[in-house]
């Protein structure tokens, strides 16, 4: 049994908000706060100190990107709190900003593509404990915006495949299993990706994320 989580939900749909809270409570987790807009999210997280916040993207008052901007603020102010964006929409610009500081403790899932509650709860727990949960469609759209860059055209088909799996938050071992290759081969592919994208080792940047999300050359 996974450890019980303390969760804040920011979702403007009352039905979805209450339904999500019910599902999580039934599975032994504690929903410490629910809000219908993003304006107070930072204050609520500061007050309750949850393990993870579930945040919609398009929320009042303009229903554009308030939730995602609030999620970015959470990452800045409360880096120990996991942030799982749960939306129908992929906002590539701010999703890139959300992940630019590193993928640890971040997730982005699409509502219409979550078919199993257990998968959602597993993703939530992974984010809350410092892991990553990115929907493949989110990864595809983020990578699609960056495929125009000359640097990405240097990648072989296999390296691009490794990069896509890496961006979903899979470990080297999980990538090796998915592709039916050795972990050593995966390490070699990742090294080639970093070299071809001109991403030298750095203490301040997360190369695995930058390799996927670099949208500006």
């Amino acid at each position: 049994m996974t450890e019980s989580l303390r969760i804040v939900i920011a979702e403007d749909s009352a039905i979805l908000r209450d339904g999500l809270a019910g599902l999580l409570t039934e599975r032994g987790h504690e929903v410490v706060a629910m809000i219908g807009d993003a304006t107070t999210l930072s204050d609520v997280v500061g007050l309750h100190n949850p393990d993870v916040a579930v945040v919609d993207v398009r929320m009042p008052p303009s229903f554009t990107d308030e939730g995602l901007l609030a999620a970015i603020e959470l990452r800045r102010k409360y880096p120990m709190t996991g942030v799982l964006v749960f939306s129908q929409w992929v906002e590539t610009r701010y999703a890139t900003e959300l992940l630019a500081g590193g993928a640890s403790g971040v997730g982005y899932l699409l509502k219409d593509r979550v078919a199993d509650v257990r998968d959602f709860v597993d993703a939530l727990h992974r984010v809350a404990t410092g892991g990553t949960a990115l929907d493949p469609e989110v990864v595809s759209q983020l990578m699609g915006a960056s495929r125009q860059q000359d640097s990405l055209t240097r990648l072989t088909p296999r390296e691009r495949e490794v990069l896509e799996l890496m961006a979903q938050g899979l470990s080297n071992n999980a990538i090796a299993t998915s592709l039916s290759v050795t972990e050593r081969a995966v390490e070699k592919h990742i090294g080639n990706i970093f070299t071809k994208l001109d991403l030298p080792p750095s203490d301040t940047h997360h190369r695995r994320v930058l390799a996927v999300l670099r949208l500006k050359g």
Side-chain angles (χ1 to χ4, degrees):
M1 181 177 178
T2 57
E3 182 180 352
S4 176
L5 300 174
R6 289 169 49 80
I7 303 164
V8 164
I9 299 174
E11 164 62 56
D12 65 288
S13 168
I15 293 176
L16 183 56
R17 186 170 63 240
D18 290 348
L20 188 57
L23 289 171
L24 293 171
T25 301
E26 288 175 3
R27 285 159 177 77
H29 301 294
E30 181 184 2
V31 177
V32 296
M34 298 187 294
I35 57 177
D37 63 75
T39 58
T40 60
L41 179 58
S42 180
D43 291 338
V44 169
V45 168
L47 177 64
H48 293 281
N49 191 30
D51 299 301
V52 61
V54 181
V55 186
D56 193 9
V57 170
R58 299 186 176 182
M59 302 185 71
S62 69
F63 294 94
T64 54
D65 50 25
E66 287 89 350
L68 202 45
L69 290 173
I72 292 170
E73 183 182 9
L74 284 189
R75 290 285 288 164
R76 180 179 58 82
K77 293 182 65 174
Y78 306 105
M80 299 306 294
T81 298
V83 177
L84 177 61
V85 176
F86 189 43
S87 178
Q88 292 176 285
W89 317 100
V90 181
E91 298 288 349
T92 57
R93 176 186 173 190
Y94 290 118
T96 300
E97 187 174 344
L98 177 67
L99 293 162
S104 177
V106 181
Y108 198 137
L109 300 181
L110 298 178
K111 293 175 181 177
D112 293 343
R113 288 170 52 84
V114 176
D116 192 321
V117 175
R118 289 174 300 179
D119 291 341
F120 176 81
V121 175
D122 286 347
L124 190 65
H125 195 275
R126 192 158 66 248
V127 169
T129 54
T132 304
L134 298 177
D135 186 287
E137 180 61 26
V138 173
V139 174
S140 177
Q141 291 197 37
L142 292 174
M143 291 190 68
S146 64
R147 280 186 179 129
Q148 302 303 316
Q149 301 176 56
D150 291 340
S151 57
L152 288 180
T153 64
R154 305 173 194 167
L155 301 183
T156 66
R158 175 62 87 183
E159 288 165 356
R160 189 180 294 277
E161 194 172 10
V162 169
L163 183 57
E164 291 174 353
L165 294 173
M166 187 168 64
Q168 293 175 33
L170 272 64
S171 66
N172 289 2
N173 180 264
I175 293 172
T177 300
S178 177
L179 298 179
S180 299
V181 299
T182 66
E183 190 169 353
R184 176 75 174 176
V186 171
E187 292 172 356
K188 183 177 179 180
H189 286 312
I190 292 174
N192 290 340
I193 290 169
F194 291 156
T195 298
K196 292 179 179 180
L197 298 185
D198 300 317
L199 295 172
S202 170
D203 293 331
T204 59
H205 298 291
H206 196 302
R207 291 197 296 169
R208 293 175 78 98
V209 176
L210 291 178
V212 179
L213 304 180
R214 188 167 22 148
L215 302 178
K216 296 184 179 180

